[in-house]
Amino acid sequence: MTPVWMTDDVALFRDTVRKVFEREFAPLEERWRRQHLADRSVWRQAGEMGLLCTSIPEAYGGAGGTFAHEAVVAYEQGRALVNSFSINVHSGIVAHYLLAYGSEAQKLRWLPKMATGELVAAIAMSEPGAGSDLQAVRTSAVRDGDDYVIDGAKTFITNGHHADLVCVVVKTDAARGAKGVSLLMVETADLPGFRRGRLLEKIGQHGLDTVELFFDGVRVPAGNLLGDEEGQGFRQLMQQLARERLLIAIGAAGMMQRAIDETLAYVAQRQVFGEPLLAMQNTRFKLAECQTETTIAQTFVDACIARQLAGTLDVPTAAMAKWSTTDKLCRVVDECLQLHGGYGYMSEYLIARLYADARVLRILGGANEVMKELIARSMERNA
Ligand SMILES: Cc1cc2nc3c(=O)[nH]c(=O)nc-3n(C[C@H](O)[C@H](O)[C@H](O)COP(=O)(O)OP(=O)(O)OC[C@H]3O[C@@H](n4cnc5c(N)ncnc54)[C@H](O)[C@@H]3O)c2cc1C
């Protein structure tokens, strides 16, 4: 079933993107996972192949596409299980903060280099003491002449080892709660007082660079503030969350389909009790259930993509897509792993990697419980 948003032009783009992930990047995943880091050159390569900043206007170096192009990249990256560099964070989040809130000078300075992969971007919200509750961030930015001086620490930062440009959530006024939150762009090259921690060891997504970042009296020009005045950060974060959460759901849908395709191929060749595992009724029913769940999830995600393209996707609906798709992903992958028997528990099998890689999607981008809270709050408002 082709979704309405998948025009001929977007379908052609999808075919190209699928080939790129399958042929160029998927074969490198194993090495990246072993070294706990993708090669820096992958970002340039992704830029050359047109995977970065697909929905950023050409005037800023982007491909001038729409959210449909971004959705294709997110889905195919999930489907190929290429999880060692986050295009979602780079193009889907940071580039769109710049596009929405950056000055003309900021856009021209950073977006073209992000589109080529010359600059790698990260977003630093979470801190050791503040994850779900972003109002509690303590990293401070104090105005001093023409600079801000940043002090604090961030943790769990995706793309953090390679990042040249970090959008940092700071408190410009500790006394004002959400109204004291601002977003500051930090260029990390040769920056005194800025330090990256070690690559954090995770249970999955082993090739993705996830690090702590430390700011010790770091000076950045006051012109690096996003928006015309301080205190806009919380509102800016809230406005972008729907598209970010939808991108997570899209990637999860791609991973779900991959789990099923992989399992179908496995059970067709695995012999048990003198017949293919696929011939057993339990196997057939489990796969039928998984495909049904995946098709239902994909259909809802497609409807959300259409609404995002029309500019009508709201926060609670995106939250529904995020929690329900990532939750289903984990259940589908678990069933698929079971059908692999002991081989499913061996790291060399893709389903084992999927199992470990999928789990974090229920936590990052807003924990699924937070998604349910957002949905419940909107129900309460409408009651
Ligand atoms: C691999 C990975 C990559 C990440 N990448 C980034 C990144 O690039 N940038 C960044 O800023 N952050 C990133 N994060 C951080 C991520 O966004 C946070 O882990 C997440 O928001 C949860 O925050 P926390 O870990 O502090 O958990 P806590 O806030 O301590 O929450 C713990 C648990 O409490 C429950 N909970 C929390 N709030 C509520 C609520 N309101 N109602 C009910 N239950 C609740 C949930 O079950 C939640 O999982 C990443 C995390 C991981 C693991």
Side-chain angles (χ1 to χ4, degrees):
M1 217 171 8
T2 309
V4 282
W5 60 270
M6 184 71 77
T7 59
D8 291 349
D9 157 57
V10 175
L12 269 177
F13 178 66
R14 181 210 43 210
D15 295 345
T16 309
V17 171
R18 184 166 292 183
K19 276 188 209 131
V20 168
F21 277 120
E22 280 175 358
R23 292 182 191 168
E24 306 291 332
F25 298 133
L28 301 173
E29 269 290 323
E30 201 189 322
R31 181 167 58 77
W32 292 341
R33 287 172 54 240
R34 265 190 275 117
Q35 67 193 29
H36 287 283
L37 192 66
D39 303 327
R40 181 63 171 75
S41 57
V42 72
W43 285 100
R44 284 281 201 169
Q45 224 180 327
E48 276 161 24
M49 290 169 174
L51 301 182
L52 305 181
C53 298
T54 50
S55 65
I56 296 297
E58 287 172 14
Y60 304 119
T66 67
F67 186 78
H69 297 87
E70 258 184 273
V72 160
V73 174
Y75 183 89
E76 295 303 331
Q77 186 162 14
R79 187 179 167 278
L81 209 61
V82 173
N83 284 330
S84 297
F85 59 107
S86 177
I87 295 180
N88 270 1
V89 164
H90 178 93
S91 303
I93 301 182
V94 181
H96 278 272
Y97 278 103
L98 284 171
L99 187 67
Y101 312 116
S103 64
E104 193 61 13
Q106 288 174 335
K107 290 181 205 176
L108 290 169
R109 180 174 171 84
W110 293 312
L111 285 171
K113 288 183 182 165
M114 284 174 66
T116 58
E118 186 180 339
L119 284 183
V120 175
I123 181 147
M125 301 183 267
S126 306
E127 299 182 358
S132 304
D133 180 11
L134 276 182
Q135 291 189 36
V137 297
R138 295 179 60 180
T139 298
S140 63
V142 177
R143 186 73 188 252
D144 182 29
D146 289 338
D147 294 335
Y148 279 105
V149 181
I150 309 175
D151 282 285
K154 297 288 180 180
T155 193
F156 301 143
I157 306 308
T158 300
N159 296 343
H161 179 84
H162 285 314
D164 312 286
L165 183 65
V166 185
C167 177
V168 186
V169 178
V170 292
K171 276 272 171 72
T172 36
D173 187 344
R176 295 194 70 210
K179 293 205 169 113
V181 174
S182 302
L183 304 182
L184 262 182
M185 301 304 296
V186 174
E187 290 173 287
T188 61
D190 304 321
L191 184 62
F194 171 75
R195 188 165 60 81
R196 299 172 214 263
R198 68 191 161 85
L199 291 163
L200 297 173
E201 296 233 358
K202 309 185 288 296
I203 64 171
Q205 305 215 358
H206 291 299
L208 183 66
D209 49 323
T210 311
V211 301
E212 290 173 299
L213 301 178
F214 301 98
F215 302 85
D216 185 11
V218 168
R219 282 187 172 269
V220 297
N224 284 17
L225 183 75
L226 276 191
D228 298 334
E229 52 180 357
E230 292 176 4
Q232 301 298 306
F234 206 73
R235 184 182 56 79
Q236 292 166 338
L237 288 166
M238 293 303 125
Q239 281 173 354
Q240 296 293 320
L241 282 175
R243 67 191 309 287
E244 292 168 25
R245 286 172 179 157
L246 178 54
L247 284 169
I248 295 172
I250 294 167
M255 288 166 78
M256 267 162 110
Q257 191 57 57
R258 180 62 185 275
I260 296 169
D261 295 348
E262 201 68 20
T263 307
L264 193 57
Y266 180 80
V267 296
Q269 58 78 37
R270 176 71 176 168
Q271 298 286 316
V272 283
F273 299 101
E275 60 178 358
L277 184 50
L278 179 55
M280 292 188 146
Q281 191 186 50
N282 176 66
T283 311
R284 304 173 73 75
F285 283 11
K286 285 293 176 201
L287 282 173
E289 285 169 18
C290 287
Q291 188 59 67
T292 306
E293 294 288 359
T294 301
T295 303
I296 292 170
Q298 183 66 59
T299 307
F300 183 56
V301 165
D302 283 335
C304 290
I305 295 172
R307 284 184 62 177
Q308 174 64 26
L309 283 162
T312 60
L313 183 69
D314 56 39
V315 169
T317 309
M320 288 178 198
K322 196 270 174 181
W323 91 256
S324 65
T325 315
T326 56
D327 215 62
K328 264 189 195 161
L329 166 66
C330 290
R331 277 187 279 134
V332 162
V333 171
D334 187 65
E335 293 288 9
C336 288
L337 187 149
Q338 185 71 14
L339 291 173
H340 280 71
Y343 296 97
Y345 201 65
M346 298 297 119
S347 307
E348 69 196 79
Y349 277 74
L350 188 127
I351 197 69
R353 188 143 63 86
L354 253 166
Y355 184 80
D357 282 9
R359 185 61 182 84
V360 76
L361 299 186
R362 285 162 56 196
I363 300 168
L364 56 67
N368 282 4
E369 291 76 11
V370 174
M371 299 301 103
K372 291 175 197 175
E373 186 55 37
L374 289 172
I375 297 160
R377 261 187 239 163
S378 81
M379 292 166 71
E380 214 171 25
R381 274 196 301 274
N382 296 331

